[in-house]
Amino acid sequence: MVDEQKNEIHHIRKNIDSIDSEILTLLKRRITFARDIGRLKDENNRAKWDPLRERQIYERLLKENGTTFPEDSLRTIFHEIITACRLSQRNIEVAYLGPEATFSHLAGVKYFGHSATYKPQESIDDVFSEVEKGRTRYGIVPVENSIEGSVVSTLDSFMKYKVQICGEVQLEISHNLVCRSGNIEDIQTVASHAQPLAQCREWLRKHLPNIPTLPVLSTGAAAQMAANNPNIGAIASSLAIKRYELQVVVKGIEDYRGNTTRFLVIGKRSPSASGQDRTSLLVGTMDRPGALNEILTVLSEEEINLTKLESRPIKGKQWKYLFFLDMIGHIEDEKIFRGCERLRPLCSYFEWLGSYPQSNYLPSDA
């Protein structure tokens, strides 16, 4: 009986090996065809990325799959395959708030896959600068958190640099308290970026009431500090634990579950319409009563779904503000284009920041 089972297992494993070899052969064929498409697009000066085509691929595969293969895993696998094939047409460099293993780094891997080249930067401002000056093709920056709200340094950078939004990705955030030893008694200071410290303030107040906190530029920088100092604890990502050889003290210390951060992908040119898009604007209002209401009235009349409206002060101009607007749709959509054309003469400042696929149409797992 045991020998029969061993023979059956051996036979099944041989079948699996054969399937794996077939998958590899097909992957090699796929990347060859992808490079051919890249060559043809180069000859016609067309954009490498076609969001509509990618969304159609996912929809077709999910329909063909039914319920046989786990949906999230299927999305993740094909996201990595599609990204690797696209990057084979031209290697992509992505700037992010470093050092390695920050949540921005994780968001970049979720969006671009593992095949891209990632370049850590010291600040969000530096990420924008790298993209504007053409030193990297893309950057990825946090823009808002479901608990703490907007990341103001990102909003302010849009007012300083000429870049466009090319995409977005949402990353569920789980914060870990880590240190070299893994013992909470060794921690004399807790370091992290200001946002994670705020997202964990109640847990820290309850469990480490007498331990000071230290805001630093990123969770990755905090993890580096913890790796170099046995008395520093860090609030960091799961990737940081592995990268900096740290021990987990407590997992999931965020005050609220469902904590999610939205990241924006910035570049030089927004992609074409995917059919499930978002458009972002930066506008200034005229100095007259009801100016903001005029803008909102246009959007209402065009039946445009406004998903975000936030003001930021203009540096050097006291009590002057610009407004960030997010709306559902693409600039190529008739009502979005028409609405923007109606807004221009009503605004003291008008800038289209980009139109890009909504993040809920990207894979949910890295």
Side-chain angles (χ1 to χ4, degrees):
M1 181 68 177
V2 173
D3 288 340
E4 289 179 3
Q5 286 182 336
K6 285 184 177 179
N7 288 334
E8 186 175 1
I9 290 172
H10 178 70
H11 177 69
I12 293 172
R13 283 176 173 169
K14 284 188 67 176
N15 286 335
I16 290 174
D17 288 344
S18 176
I19 291 170
D20 288 343
S21 295
E22 186 177 352
I23 290 172
L24 178 59
T25 299
L26 293 173
L27 287 174
K28 289 159 70 175
R29 287 185 64 195
R30 193 188 197 285
I31 202 167
T32 299
F33 287 132
R35 287 169 178 159
D36 289 342
I37 289 175
R39 175 180 52 79
L40 292 171
K41 286 184 175 180
D42 279 339
E43 291 175 358
N44 293 281
N45 197 29
R46 290 179 59 192
K48 293 284 196 301
W49 183 30
D50 185 346
L52 176 59
R53 163 66 175 159
E54 288 196 8
R55 185 169 66 85
Q56 290 170 340
I57 290 174
Y58 288 125
E59 290 175 348
R60 175 177 58 79
L61 292 172
L62 290 171
K63 183 177 180 180
E64 291 177 4
N65 175 59
T67 59
T68 304
F69 201 90
E71 182 174 311
D72 282 349
S73 298
L74 186 69
R75 283 179 172 271
T76 300
I77 290 166
F78 273 93
H79 176 57
E80 198 69 37
I81 291 170
I82 291 169
T83 303
C85 288
R86 176 157 28 94
L87 293 180
S88 73
Q89 300 171 12
R90 176 182 175 184
N91 186 43
I92 290 177
E93 291 187 325
V94 183
Y96 69 95
L97 176 62
E100 289 183 70
T102 60
F103 287 107
S104 292
H105 190 185
L106 280 173
V109 171
K110 180 176 179 179
Y111 192 89
F112 291 101
H114 291 81
S115 301
T117 300
Y118 295 95
K119 294 179 63 177
Q121 306 298 317
E122 292 186 357
S123 68
I124 288 174
D125 194 273
D126 290 338
V127 175
F128 276 81
S129 179
E130 287 291 296
V131 174
E132 184 188 61
K133 294 177 180 178
R135 289 195 287 259
T136 61
R137 190 172 181 186
Y138 294 110
I140 189 158
V141 291
V143 67
E144 60 181 335
N145 176 265
S146 60
I147 305 299
E148 290 300 314
S150 295
V151 180
V152 296
S153 54
T154 295
L155 297 183
D156 289 346
S157 291
F158 275 113
M159 298 163 65
K160 291 170 57 180
Y161 297 96
K162 295 299 180 184
V163 299
Q164 286 193 336
I165 304 172
C166 304
E168 65 174 10
V169 60
Q170 294 185 37
L171 189 69
E172 188 170 345
I173 304 296
S174 181
H175 293 304
N176 305 295
L177 180 64
V178 300
C179 69
R180 268 170 48 174
S181 67
N183 296 320
I184 197 168
E185 295 82 7
D186 293 334
I187 297 175
Q188 298 177 9
T189 303
V190 176
S192 193
H193 186 271
Q195 283 246 345
L197 288 173
Q199 292 160 20
C200 304
R201 63 165 66 92
E202 289 302 314
W203 190 97
L204 294 171
R205 182 186 61 80
K206 182 177 180 180
H207 297 277
L208 295 173
N210 299 315
I211 301 299
T213 58
L214 177 64
V216 295
L217 288 174
S218 69
T219 55
Q224 278 187 330
M225 294 172 64
N228 294 325
N229 187 327
N231 298 126
I232 291 181
I235 299 175
S237 70
S238 55
L239 184 60
I241 297 168
K242 185 176 182 180
R243 170 65 180 82
Y244 298 105
E245 298 181 348
L246 296 166
Q247 305 298 316
V248 177
V249 179
V250 184
K251 285 185 176 180
I253 67 168
E254 61 273 9
D255 295 331
Y256 299 94
R257 295 294 180 259
N259 182 12
T260 301
T261 296
R262 176 181 170 226
F263 294 81
L264 295 178
V265 178
I266 57 174
K268 288 291 191 181
R269 185 172 64 176
S270 286
S272 57
S274 72
Q276 301 289 344
D277 302 289
R278 194 186 307 274
T279 290
S280 295
L281 304 176
L282 179 61
V283 303
T285 57
M286 296 291 190
D287 188 11
R288 64 187 180 216
L292 180 57
N293 184 61
E294 291 176 349
I295 291 173
L296 298 179
T297 299
V298 168
L299 299 180
S300 176
E301 290 176 349
E302 294 292 346
E303 298 184 340
I304 293 172
N305 184 4
L306 184 66
T307 59
K308 181 182 178 68
L309 173 63
E310 183 154 354
S311 65
R312 287 296 299 155
I314 302 173
K315 301 297 185 287
K317 294 185 178 181
Q318 198 171 30
W319 317 126
K320 297 293 184 181
Y321 298 86
L322 291 179
F323 292 87
F324 289 87
L325 282 71
D326 286 349
M327 59 190 73
I328 300 301
H330 196 281
I331 194 67
E332 295 173 2
D333 298 343
E334 184 178 347
K335 70 177 182 179
I336 297 295
F337 179 80
R338 186 172 59 243
C340 288
E341 289 302 298
R342 288 183 61 188
L343 287 181
R344 287 180 189 273
L346 299 176
C347 298
S348 60
Y349 181 89
F350 182 96
E351 183 178 358
W352 171 62
L353 295 178
S355 297
Y356 46 94
Q358 296 179 55
S359 59
N360 53 313
Y361 288 89
L362 289 172
S364 58
D365 295 313

